[in-house]
Amino acid sequence: MAEEAALHITAPAKVNLFLHVTGRRADGYHALESLFVFTRKGDELVLTPADDLGFSLAGPFAPRLRALGGDGEGNLVVRAARALADAAGRAPSVHIELIKTLPVEAGIGGGSADAAAVLLGLNDLWGLGWSKDKLAEIALTLGADVPACLYQEPLYVTGIGETVRRVTLPWTGALLLVNPGSGSATPAVFKAYKAAGTAFDAPLGLPEDAWQSPDSLKADSHNSLEAAALSLNPAIAEVLAVLCEEKAARLVRMSGSGATCFALFDSLKDAEAAADRLKAAHPAWWVMADEIAL
Ligand code: C5P
């Protein structure tokens, strides 16, 4: 029965521990150098075998996603299911329920993570047995960040986001993610970055040196989109300032094109204690503490 066969999957948040912009391609896309990590918690998806392709939206951020046109055919998860079905030469016979618990336009993967999770889930549900590298080819047709979101482990990412290499972090840590409740549209942030005429970052010669410790991340890397995102959304500055007050935070930075910022802690206990303080002081902010998936 369809109910019994439903598959429940999680689409974890993606966090850029650093994000350098190293150039601009002829097609306008920016060349990046970045360290991606993933949390364990994230959006939830329920894939249920059905006669036709169907989609429904639930969860605390469903209204915001609907307002941005993310309901129905326009949602990246629907496009992901269609693209995989086409590539596999079969019907896209599945109902996808997306329970949106991560904020949208937030710099933490969002739609890309959801689309990647659907590719992984349908690969199982339809018994395709494709490798992640094969799924990555389809993922790239859906967005620059989607291939990386298939791996859900620390990644060194270059190109426009499509060239990924698994890395081992020689330390463990936990993240506190904070979003001020206002979005940050990626195209607008890149446009503001370009308009500011910021010099491109030189590629890191030995990138692994940058992630030897949280201290080396702090000293040797940054997020080059932070100034542009801040110019469009001043609430990001307030989030960063509040996170910087956390004494146990090893690194405080914005993720992706914002508006979500993170603080890196040595332990989940420290991150959760900070989360409790922030929730009490800023009830309108979205706050999540979680481990880094290794
Ligand atoms: O790939 P995604 O749809 O998230 O990108 C949204 C927009 O962000 C692109 O249309 C482009 O303007 C900008 N972008 C960029 N360089 C990247 C990724 C995105 O300029 N590497």
Side-chain angles (χ1 to χ4, degrees):
M1 271 171 52
E3 273 303 305
E4 283 167 34
L7 190 67
H8 293 248
I9 46 175
T10 301
K14 167 227 65 167
V15 177
N16 301 87
L17 292 188
F18 73 81
L19 178 62
H20 294 178
V21 181
T22 54
R24 190 177 299 115
R25 303 195 319 189
D27 65 2
Y29 267 80
H30 291 78
L32 309 175
E33 184 173 28
S34 183
L35 179 62
F36 284 27
V37 294
F38 295 85
T39 57
R40 297 189 187 283
K41 293 184 274 192
D43 289 338
E44 299 293 329
L45 290 126
V46 185
L47 307 180
T48 311
D51 292 337
D52 297 313
L53 181 56
F55 177 68
S56 55
L57 199 51
F61 288 102
R64 174 89 180 120
L65 187 55
R66 236 174 244 128
L68 290 170
D71 205 351
E73 284 293 320
N75 195 288
L76 208 53
V77 300
V78 176
R79 289 174 44 208
R82 267 197 209 291
L84 186 66
D86 285 351
R90 56 158 294 145
S93 42
V94 65
H95 181 92
I96 304 171
E97 182 181 20
L98 169 59
I99 302 152
K100 198 78 200 156
T101 58
L102 299 174
V104 297
E105 289 195 328
I108 51 173
S112 300
D114 297 338
V118 163
L119 292 179
L120 292 169
L122 291 180
N123 189 39
D124 277 357
L125 199 67
W126 292 345
L128 300 178
W130 290 5
S131 67
K132 287 189 180 181
D133 291 350
K134 185 166 178 186
L135 293 173
E137 290 169 24
I138 297 168
L140 185 59
T141 67
L142 301 166
D145 271 359
V146 185
C149 291
L150 290 168
Y151 296 93
Q152 302 172 2
E153 58 190 312
L155 298 171
Y156 172 61
V157 177
T158 52
I160 60 165
E162 83 289 7
T163 308
V164 303
R165 173 157 69 83
R166 293 185 183 87
V167 302
T168 304
L169 297 181
W171 46 273
T172 55
L175 290 166
L176 173 63
L177 303 183
V178 181
N179 185 286
S182 41
S184 194
T186 305
V189 172
F190 274 106
K191 207 169 155 205
Y193 170 87
K194 187 179 173 196
T198 315
F200 294 128
D201 296 297
L204 293 168
L206 291 167
E208 39 285 297
D209 287 356
W211 57 77
Q212 282 314 300
S213 68
D215 290 339
S216 56
L217 272 173
K218 192 171 175 176
D220 299 338
S221 69
H222 48 268
N223 183 337
S224 295
L225 297 179
E226 220 168 85
L230 266 157
S231 72
L232 298 174
N233 184 351
I236 296 169
E238 196 191 345
V239 173
L240 288 169
V242 168
L243 287 174
C244 283
E245 286 166 18
E246 288 295 331
K247 300 221 172 1
R250 303 286 304 274
L251 175 70
V252 171
R253 198 164 272 175
M254 187 181 85
S255 178
S257 52
T260 307
C261 300
F262 67 87
L264 176 64
F265 293 88
D266 288 329
S267 72
L268 184 59
K269 200 165 147 269
D270 287 347
E272 284 173 339
D276 289 344
R277 282 188 287 278
L278 260 78
K279 280 180 199 162
H282 300 275
W285 288 359
W286 174 83
V287 174
M288 181 176 100
D290 202 0
E291 284 170 334
I292 294 175
L294 295 176

